[in-house]
Amino acid sequence: MEENPVIPPSSPKLGKVYLVGAGPGDPGLITLRGKYLLERAEVLVYDYLASKKLLRYVPATAELVYAGKQGGVCHTHTQEEINQLLIDYARQGKMVVRLKGGDPFIFGRGGEEAESLFDAGIAFEVVPGVTSATAAATYAGIPITHRDYTASVSFLTGHEYPGKENSNIDWASLAAHGGTLVVYMGIKNLPVITENLLKHGRAATTPVAVVRWASTPEQRTVVGTLTDICQKVREAGITPPALVIVGEVVRLREKIDWFEKRPLFGKRVVVTRTREQASELVAQLEDTGAECLEYPTINVGPLESYALLDEELERIKEYHWLVFTSLNGVRYFFEHLFEKGMDARDLKGPSIAVVGKSTADLLRQYGLRADLVPEQFTAEGLAEALMDTGVGGRNILIVRAKVGREILPETLRGAGAQVMVVPVYQNMPPPGIHDALVADLAGGRIDAITFTSSSTVKNFLDLLDAASQEELTKLLGGARIAAIGPITGKTVSDHGLTVDVQPEQYTIEAMVAAMVSYFSDPHESCQATEPT
Ligand code: SAH
């Protein structure tokens, strides 16, 4: 410990350390203040219990330091080293976020870290977090206090050996007062804990719940009584991190359990979309309880040259139709337009057709209304809708990806139109994720794979790179396949695979609804419709 430490004069600015509670596991349970600080971190020091999903908020330029710690043992740094690390980074003038599972001051040694920062003269702030005790109770459907059952709750650690001399835990009074008990780090010592409570007079029938990885897709809850919970936990193979909740309130789980009852809880789903587009599907799947593993099989990027688009923009007035076949088509088209100092006013002349409602909605944001949206949101549907307007001799400009299906331009040409196809972006499978995907699929750990376009199917299969049909089937490990519509579904079956789920309406909502009904009754309903 230093006396009167000083910041080195070379330090350009004063650093500061923020001890931030990450919450119990569900990344949605961090505070707004915590997220605000993550977004500004220059250094992030995080540990085992903090959700890795929170790392997405940290700037790409930030330095990430994993401080480990599992089962109370830190494999990468000792507590003293962590304290010193925080001090050293702050002395370099860095904005340091120390992200800790749950709440920093509840069995998290946050107190010790703050003390050591104080002793070193480093500025710090502490942001509370949702502690795992309340989260585990809430997510297991157990109100830790309830007017009919108990007016008190105690948080304690099971790590302190209850039989040890000078124990801080007064088992006699904890057993006697009858309030709810929540025990952190109590799995290893569960036999001693239950024994102590029984010895000091807690009823043998007192219900006990053990909740592992609370608030995450891996949450598991085992319920028993003070006499049989140890055996049940052993049989279920429950290992840390888990919390033990003791008290009559555990009985309420029968009615209040909500988290584990969501329709796709426990299901692991691969989402194959571009990174920027995946979020809506992921959000909707997660709302149903599914765990999403995101595989961006397509990276969308700009073209090297926009000379062709520039040429056509020069003569845009000669076109009768301007056609957008994807969201990215709209985005990249306008990006280039704006770069040239142009905007929607320069598109006067052609009518505008789009492939579906989302594309029309996006177009509105750029200040243009689509004149034509087909009823069927496919290239075929769009071709038909355009042909209904009479395309013979008309000039049509199609804006799309560099490599795309030829069905639209071919059909329109067949109907006598003059068609020009202009690419504005390209799809490329990202490098280096093959191994991660194969590992995730291995051992049948994936319940479903979702495809939202033919190119996601193709890129996914390219990524898997199976040598033969048998190997492909083996790699997929029995995962079910969900396709958003018939075109995507056909691409799946063209590759020798079976489509298990395909909604009637080609929207993300309908696809998620179809997956829910498939998994609640896998044998009956292979095809489901969007609920009205
Ligand atoms: N500061 C943390 C607790 C750290 S002590 C907090 O406020 O939650 C570590 C113990 O917390 C684990 O052994 C386990 O008992 C409990 N714990 C943390 N996260 C948990 C989770 N998601 N599910 C169940 N128990 C958890």
Side-chain angles (χ1 to χ4, degrees):
M1 198 171 90
E2 278 180 80
E3 297 266 352
N4 303 323
V6 278
I7 302 286
S10 58
S11 171
K13 59 172 180 159
L14 294 181
K16 188 164 178 179
V17 178
Y18 296 85
L19 302 179
V20 176
D26 179 345
L29 292 180
I30 192 168
T31 60
L32 288 176
R33 174 80 180 144
K35 175 168 170 271
Y36 171 93
L37 292 169
L38 283 181
E39 286 164 350
R40 284 156 185 79
E42 290 174 302
V43 178
L44 176 77
V45 182
Y46 63 104
D47 58 30
Y48 171 64
L49 288 170
S51 169
K52 303 298 166 286
K53 289 198 167 169
L54 291 171
L55 300 187
R56 70 170 73 139
Y57 296 123
V58 177
T61 49
E63 195 173 331
L64 303 189
V65 183
Y66 179 59
K69 233 178 214 186
Q70 202 168 335
V73 186
C74 179
H75 300 294
T76 45
H77 298 90
T78 63
Q79 187 62 48
E80 289 64 37
E81 281 167 355
I82 295 172
N83 295 352
Q84 194 55 47
L85 212 63
L86 300 177
I87 294 169
D88 290 346
Y89 278 118
R91 289 213 171 125
Q92 289 167 22
K94 295 279 169 56
M95 186 304 201
V96 185
V97 171
R98 166 70 172 125
L99 189 66
K100 298 176 73 69
D103 182 279
F105 280 180
I106 300 186
F107 301 122
R109 303 187 73 170
E112 291 162 54
E113 289 174 15
E115 271 183 287
S116 103
L117 291 168
F118 172 83
D119 291 341
I122 305 289
F124 64 88
E125 283 184 27
V126 189
V127 181
V130 173
T131 189
S132 52
T134 56
T138 309
Y139 279 62
I142 301 166
I144 41 179
T145 71
H146 190 290
R147 284 200 304 178
D148 296 342
Y149 294 90
T150 176
S152 75
V153 54
S154 311
F155 292 170
L156 47 143
T157 169
H159 198 56
E160 196 200 54
Y161 189 68
K164 86 169 189 189
E165 274 179 51
N166 305 323
S167 168
N168 282 327
I169 298 174
D170 179 354
W171 291 99
S173 74
L174 284 173
H177 77 45
T180 308
L181 305 178
V182 188
V183 190
Y184 291 75
M185 297 171 276
I187 294 304
K188 208 167 118 230
N189 285 329
L190 192 57
V192 194
I193 293 165
T194 49
E195 200 180 291
N196 265 286
L197 290 170
L198 288 168
K199 193 169 81 191
H200 290 101
R202 265 281 168 112
T205 52
T206 308
V208 182
V210 171
V211 190
R212 179 169 197 263
W213 275 126
S215 82
T216 74
E218 289 177 58
Q219 175 171 318
R220 266 194 84 189
T221 307
V222 174
V223 178
T225 64
L226 275 181
T227 38
D228 66 12
I229 192 70
C230 289
Q231 190 193 343
K232 286 189 165 172
V233 161
R234 220 176 17 252
E235 280 168 7
I238 300 280
T239 52
L243 280 155
V244 183
I245 306 174
V246 181
E248 294 302 319
V249 284
V250 169
R251 298 188 195 284
L252 291 163
R253 171 175 160 82
E254 257 178 52
K255 286 189 196 162
I256 302 179
D257 174 25
W258 58 274
F259 183 70
E260 293 168 41
K261 282 204 179 134
R262 293 170 310 157
L264 293 186
F265 179 77
K267 297 278 182 262
R268 310 179 88 204
V269 179
V270 166
V271 174
T272 54
R273 291 196 79 170
T274 62
R275 215 180 263 290
E276 50 182 30
Q277 290 174 342
S279 50
E280 191 47 39
L281 178 58
V282 169
Q284 292 198 24
L285 281 170
E286 285 181 349
D287 277 347
T288 68
E291 175 182 8
C292 292
L293 303 163
E294 292 177 63
Y295 277 97
T297 56
I298 305 176
N299 266 353
V300 175
L303 302 177
E304 291 82 36
S305 160
Y306 284 90
L308 192 57
L309 175 60
D310 287 341
E311 259 173 51
E312 301 312 315
L313 283 172
E314 290 280 308
R315 53 188 208 99
I316 191 78
K317 286 194 173 58
E318 295 167 28
Y319 281 100
H320 299 97
W321 284 104
L322 172 59
V323 182
F324 293 97
T325 59
S326 67
L327 293 171
N328 282 319
V330 174
R331 279 192 199 109
Y332 280 89
F333 179 86
F334 278 95
E335 211 151 285
H336 186 70
L337 207 66
F338 292 147
E339 240 164 55
K340 286 170 67 82
M342 298 167 74
D343 64 24
R345 290 169 297 183
D346 297 295
L347 300 177
K348 210 163 157 37
S351 302
I352 295 179
V354 296
V355 69
K357 190 173 168 304
S358 327
T359 314
D361 289 345
L362 182 64
L363 202 59
R364 275 175 82 108
Q365 294 177 21
Y366 290 98
L368 288 176
R369 191 175 48 76
D371 300 288
L372 185 148
V373 185
E375 262 170 35
Q376 282 246 339
F377 301 165
T378 59
E380 287 81 352
L382 179 56
E384 229 164 80
L386 277 166
M387 288 190 305
D388 285 348
T389 69
V391 290
R394 301 255 141 176
N395 293 329
I396 302 179
L397 181 64
I398 300 177
V399 173
R400 62 161 223 204
K402 194 168 168 185
V403 178
R405 296 171 67 226
E406 295 306 325
I407 185 85
L408 179 62
E410 276 169 11
T411 314
L412 294 174
R413 279 185 196 121
Q418 307 288 322
V419 181
M420 184 69 190
V421 174
V422 176
V424 292
Y425 67 99
Q426 54 185 334
N427 295 320
M428 307 159 287
I433 58 171
H434 165 86
D435 293 353
L437 177 58
V438 170
D440 268 339
L441 284 167
R445 288 169 63 235
I446 302 292
D447 297 283
I449 303 167
T450 58
F451 294 117
T452 49
S453 67
S454 289
S455 48
T456 56
V457 181
K458 289 185 195 126
N459 284 327
F460 177 83
L461 294 172
D462 283 351
L463 202 63
L464 266 186
D465 198 22
S468 63
Q469 195 67 38
E470 292 83 70
E471 195 194 320
L472 175 60
T473 312
K474 202 170 138 220
L475 280 175
L476 292 181
R480 301 288 160 200
I481 293 179
I484 197 162
I487 307 294
T488 310
K490 182 165 183 309
T491 311
V492 171
S493 40
D494 284 351
H495 286 89
L497 299 170
T498 309
V499 177
D500 301 287
V501 183
Q502 188 180 299
E504 273 177 17
Q505 261 234 345
Y506 320 147
T507 64
I508 283 173
E509 289 90 327
M511 178 152 124
V512 173
M515 287 173 74
V516 166
S517 75
Y518 177 84
F519 280 106
S520 22
D521 193 358
H523 307 295
E524 297 283 314
S525 56
C526 279
Q527 300 232 334
T529 49
E530 190 176 21
T532 46

